[in-house]
Amino acid sequence: MIRLLPLSGDIEPAIRRLGWDWAVEDACAAYLAPEAVELTEPEAETLLEAADTLYEMLVQAVPDELPDAFLQQLGIPANLWQAVRHSWHDERHWHLYGRFDLAHTDEGPKLVEFNADTATSIPETAVVQWASLMAAGRPEDQQQANGLFEGLELQLREWRQLNQDLAPHLLLVHLPDSAEDEANCTVLAEAARGASFSTAHVCSVDAMQVSVLGEDRGAWAEVRPGQWQRFDFVFKLVPWELLAEEEPELTEDLTQLLLSRDVMIANPPYALLFQSKAMLARLWEVFPHHPLLVEARMDDLVGHYVRKPLFGREGQNLTEIEYGLEKHAESGDFAEQPQVRQQWIDFPTDAQGRRYQAGVFWAGEACALSFRRAEGIITNLSEFVPHIITG
């Protein structure tokens, strides 16, 4: 049973004191729960350790040569294979961060999925849930497992140090007209400035210009009216598979720039290996009956399970099946994708029957916790719940 502690107070002053007005103005806290999940320190450590173990398992489950059959099994678009292989075999292509979604069941944590490429909820986790504790005036001995901002800064610093031959200018791009994605990039830009990047510029991906020709070769953005700058580092909060499908020419140009080291991109193309939900089936194949896993396969299971599109996001097109009958189906844009089957997981619930999913951020190591809750399937619209470690 989930234990809850009430939270009161206005988080807006605490956030504005940080100078991060966008976290309030962009309605980042609009779906913040007025209470927090209570955890003991051992419970928090169990979730963090699970994420670290799972990341190691993911790395071990990838065959180093990345054969065609493996990339096909994961559903990796063929026009990304060269970039995926290149980045996998060159450690200068650095995986900055991701978010493990876990269910803390009676049998221990279970992997739901790993958001390895474009994980969001960074502002809520790093800033808003901390501000909620400050606003509520909780005792100082009540803490959070919340080192996300520091973890991102360390990862960005390591990425910079691995590529010291490149100029320390970072362009952060997001999908057009997405205030949420822009807010996530803004936090990463703050971390980049603390990690010795002299420039950290945020804009829509449509505002980025890419060339593979002559003196203009590289990635560019207009940092001030009429002033264009070349960027050797690019962070893209745009899914790799979306680029491959909808922008094949841009994908080809970015691949060329990666191969020639004119641009370094994070998260790197190989993050798509971990992002593919077919990795759930691969993990079960390599580590059958591991305590952090539930059964997952590419064909139908027996009993109670869910079907997920390989690159579905935000809970879209997730279908619940029980003994061959469809119990519930989420709508969405990913219905045509291949699907993985995963055994049904009994999420922990509170006294009102709401289900809770833990989000464990990994940035070089597991570094932060947060929770989402809903009565049914947990999606991007589900309520965000802070946490408190009480002992």
Side-chain angles (χ1 to χ4, degrees), residues 97-209:
Y97 80 99
R99 191 191 71 243
F100 286 94
D101 291 338
L102 304 178
H104 201 175
T105 72
D106 291 341
E107 299 175 352
K110 300 291 184 182
L111 174 63
V112 179
E113 58 194 45
F114 183 37
N115 300 279
D117 183 21
T118 57
T120 55
S121 76
I122 295 174
E124 300 96 309
T125 301
V127 183
V128 175
Q129 71 166 340
W130 169 84
S132 68
L133 262 65
M134 299 302 100
R138 304 299 305 188
E140 291 186 4
D141 61 347
Q142 294 185 352
Q143 304 294 326
Q144 289 179 339
N146 195 356
L148 177 54
F149 188 83
E150 295 80 4
L152 292 171
E153 187 173 314
L154 287 171
Q155 284 289 87
L156 285 157
R157 188 180 302 277
E158 181 66 20
W159 190 33
R160 170 73 189 98
Q161 290 175 350
L162 288 169
N163 296 278
Q164 294 187 52
D165 56 314
L166 303 180
H169 304 307
L170 173 62
L171 178 64
L172 304 99
V173 297
H174 55 83
L175 290 170
D177 304 318
S178 175
E180 177 193 359
D181 288 357
E182 183 178 1
N184 280 269
C185 285
T186 300
V187 179
L188 281 156
E190 287 291 329
R193 295 183 187 104
S196 76
F197 281 90
S198 57
T199 307
H201 179 70
V202 177
C203 68
S204 165
V205 66
D206 290 349
M208 177 179 68
Q209 298 293 316

Side-chain angles (χ1 to χ4, degrees), residues 27 83 111 143 233 249 272 290 299 308 337 348:
L111 174 63
Q143 304 294 326
F233 295 84
E249 292 183 1
L272 205 53
H290 191 283
D299 49 5
K308 301 178 180 182
Q337 291 187 4

Side-chain angles (χ1 to χ4, degrees), residues 39 43-55 58 95-104 109-116 119-122 125-126 129 145-148 152 292 356-372 384-385 387:
L39 296 173
E43 288 172 332
E45 283 298 319
T46 295
L47 289 167
L48 294 168
E49 289 172 2
D52 282 333
T53 300
L54 285 165
Y55 195 90
L58 283 165
H95 191 196
L96 292 180
Y97 80 99
R99 191 191 71 243
F100 286 94
D101 291 338
L102 304 178
H104 201 175
K110 300 291 184 182
L111 174 63
V112 179
E113 58 194 45
F114 183 37
N115 300 279
T120 55
S121 76
I122 295 174
T125 301
Q129 71 166 340
N146 195 356
L148 177 54
L152 292 171
L292 294 175
Y356 285 71
Q357 177 176 279
V360 185
F361 271 94
W362 179 96
E365 63 180 6
C367 59
L369 301 177
S370 62
F371 289 85
R372 288 286 186 94
F384 181 88
V385 190
H387 73 282

Side-chain angles (χ1 to χ4, degrees), residues 231-296:
F231 290 87
D232 289 0
F233 295 84
V234 173
F235 171 83
K236 45 131 222 85
L237 202 59
V238 181
W240 275 113
E241 76 279 3
L242 184 66
L243 286 173
E245 178 182 355
E246 298 189 2
E247 299 287 348
E249 292 183 1
L250 175 59
T251 300
E252 173 60 28
D253 288 347
L254 290 174
T255 297
Q256 286 194 37
L257 295 175
L258 280 173
L259 295 175
S260 60
R261 283 187 55 74
D262 287 291
V263 172
M264 299 297 291
I265 302 176
N267 280 314
Y270 75 74
L272 205 53
L273 302 172
F274 301 156
Q275 179 72 36
S276 171
K277 292 179 180 63
M279 276 299 290
L280 296 170
R282 173 67 176 177
L283 285 171
W284 185 258
E285 177 187 340
V286 177
F287 303 101
H289 304 285
H290 191 283
L292 294 175
L293 304 176
V294 298
E295 184 177 5

Side-chain angles (χ1 to χ4, degrees), residues 37 69 72 88 91 96 124 128 139 165 215-216 235 289 303-304:
V37 173
Q72 289 171 340
W88 179 254
E91 69 171 7
L96 292 180
E124 300 96 309
V128 175
D165 56 314
E215 295 182 355
D216 292 335
F235 171 83
H289 304 285
H304 198 184

